[in-house]
Amino acid sequence: MRRRPPARRSRLRTVVRASAVAAGSAGLVAGSLYAVQAQDQEGSTQERQAGLAGTQARQRTGPSPGSQGAAAANRAAALAQRLGARTTGAYLDSAGRPVVTVTNATDAAAVRAAGVTPKMTQRSPASLKRLTSTLQRSLGTTAGTGWAVDPATSQVILWTDGSVTGTRMATVRRTAQRMGTAVRMVRIPGKLSALAAGGDAIFGGGSRCSLGFNVKRAGQDFFLTAGHCGNAVQEWTADQQGAQAVGTTEESSFPGDDFALVRSAPGAAGEGEVNLFNGQSRDITEAGEAVVGQQVVRSGSTTGVSTGSVTAVDATVNFPEGTVTGMIQTTVCAEPGDSGGPLFSGTTALGLTSGGSGDCQTGGVTFFQPVTEPLENFGAEVF
């Protein structure tokens, strides 16, 4: 998609596609980091954006239909955090109602009093944690694998991508079989890889990524993007030619996490919005935790806007580039160049695009770095 000219209302939006992808990074291509080389992506981006973005100036949109669902998800997530080791997590059921799993009647009463549905977990949180620890010891950093607890079924979901075959697949299956019905295996089409991109595009070092969220720290302007982008690029620009400086990477974390903090260049700070690629933008007013079953939206420079639902939180993903933990797993699609872009629900910021498998023609699985972690780590806030 073609970027809007410098005359647009804000040069740096909440979402920026960055072209920072480490050389030789195959990514979980159907499950790897979504990064792209700028010169290879510019043409295809231009063609796709023509069908997504209008020519009129972007307008702010008010609260979206997803705002009510985001509020319910935030309430359930807050309750689950307070329960800590006494819950396997929170989720939204098929009717969109918030549910928190509990292990005793006292907690069930407290959850119910807060206006959320309690559900007795079928397996203890401690037993599920032991299972994920066993997977970590047994499978280690085996590329193309990952796992997360499903609070709705009290199971650990173990997934493999298309690169896991032969003896590696046999090893994964034996490991799962030893754990019995507490572990459910799922096959992800394609190959996991890391994605570089986001809402509006950002460029550096011959690569392109996306800006995630504009943030403030100690009154200064910064923005967040993916760590695998920040590792590769120090100086960011709004154009491939490098004429319009937008920021300098100050801190970056990948693997383990996947987030980076970029100091905005003088005069380049954007607003607290994300690009919807239809002539409008969404004002982001707060940050929150994702909940299983929640409807979410992703914005990125390669594919524009994509929607889907959260299928897991606190997921471990073994990309070829490295292992990342604590991730949000979704049914949202993404492609190279979308890395670093924002994931949100209503006006709530949830995550930064990291990597996945598939594409936006056939569908796929995408993982996101929760945004609350870098905000806390950097002492920053969305606005």
Side-chain angles (χ1 to χ4, degrees):
M1 303 166 76
R2 184 180 299 278
R3 292 178 297 103
R4 295 184 181 280
R8 65 186 179 182
R9 186 159 61 88
S10 174
R11 193 170 36 147
L12 238 186
R13 315 299 293 189
T14 340
V15 183
V16 178
R17 309 161 195 164
S19 193
V21 58
S25 156
L28 295 174
V29 169
S32 192
L33 302 178
Y34 291 118
V36 65
Q37 292 301 312
Q39 63 182 41
D40 296 333
Q41 192 62 29
E42 185 70 1
S44 61
T45 298
Q46 176 179 346
E47 182 178 351
R48 291 177 186 173
Q49 187 166 5
L52 292 173
T55 56
Q56 73 248 41
R58 295 179 196 159
Q59 301 173 344
R60 282 195 176 193
T61 60
S64 71
S67 297
Q68 185 173 359
N74 288 342
R75 189 164 67 251
L79 284 169
Q81 283 189 321
R82 287 203 292 270
L83 290 178
R86 300 196 305 276
T87 180
T88 58
Y91 64 97
L92 301 183
D93 66 14
S94 58
R97 294 169 299 202
V99 179
V100 172
T101 63
V102 296
T103 57
N104 60 72
T106 300
D107 287 342
V111 168
R112 192 176 293 108
V116 174
T117 301
K119 177 183 177 181
M120 286 292 178
T121 180
Q122 299 173 35
R123 295 183 176 86
S124 72
S127 67
L128 293 174
K129 185 174 182 179
R130 285 194 295 271
L131 290 174
T132 57
S133 296
T134 299
L135 288 173
Q136 183 64 59
R137 290 193 302 270
S138 302
L139 301 180
T141 58
T142 303
T145 66
W147 50 84
V149 171
D150 178 6
T153 63
S154 295
Q155 289 179 305
V156 174
I157 309 302
L158 169 62
W159 59 84
T160 58
D161 71 10
S163 71
V164 182
T165 59
T167 57
R168 287 204 303 154
M169 176 58 85
T171 298
V172 173
R173 284 176 175 158
R174 283 196 301 270
T175 300
Q177 288 169 355
R178 286 196 296 268
M179 298 178 178
T181 58
V183 173
R184 185 168 82 247
M185 287 190 64
V186 174
R187 189 70 164 169
I188 295 177
K191 182 183 177 185
L192 289 171
S193 64
L195 308 170
D200 290 340
I202 53 177
F203 299 86
S207 298
R208 177 175 60 82
C209 285
S210 295
L211 184 152
F213 296 99
N214 288 312
V215 299
K216 292 276 190 182
R217 182 172 75 166
Q220 301 298 308
D221 293 312
F222 295 82
F223 64 82
L224 300 176
T225 190
H228 66 273
C229 292
N231 283 0
V233 176
Q234 183 68 23
E235 300 297 331
W236 294 99
T237 64
D239 62 316
Q240 188 175 339
Q241 292 71 37
Q244 302 177 48
V246 293
T248 302
T249 299
E250 290 221 340
E251 299 183 56
S252 184
S253 180
F254 178 85
D257 303 303
D258 196 4
F259 55 75
L261 180 70
V262 181
R263 179 183 290 273
S264 298
E271 301 170 21
E273 305 173 351
V274 293
N275 187 357
L276 299 181
F277 291 94
N278 61 356
Q280 297 182 327
S281 58
R282 173 70 48 75
D283 190 22
I284 299 298
T285 61
E286 63 180 348
E289 302 288 346
V291 171
V292 172
Q294 185 175 8
Q295 296 299 301
V296 291
V297 183
R298 175 199 57 74
S299 177
S301 60
T302 300
T303 55
V305 170
S306 178
T307 61
S309 61
V310 175
T311 53
V313 296
D314 197 22
T316 295
V317 188
N318 293 316
F319 293 121
E321 300 87 348
T323 298
V324 183
T325 60
M327 302 290 275
I328 303 167
Q329 181 184 1
T330 73
T331 61
V332 179
C333 72
E335 295 183 12
D338 287 327
S339 282
L343 179 75
F344 55 97
S345 178
T347 59
T348 301
L350 296 175
L352 303 169
T353 305
S354 177
S357 66
D359 55 43
C360 288
Q361 284 71 50
T362 61
V365 174
T366 303
F367 296 90
F368 297 83
Q369 161 71 52
V371 74
T372 50
E373 185 177 2
L375 289 176
E376 181 177 357
N377 187 75
F378 298 135
E381 60 182 2
V382 296
F383 63 95

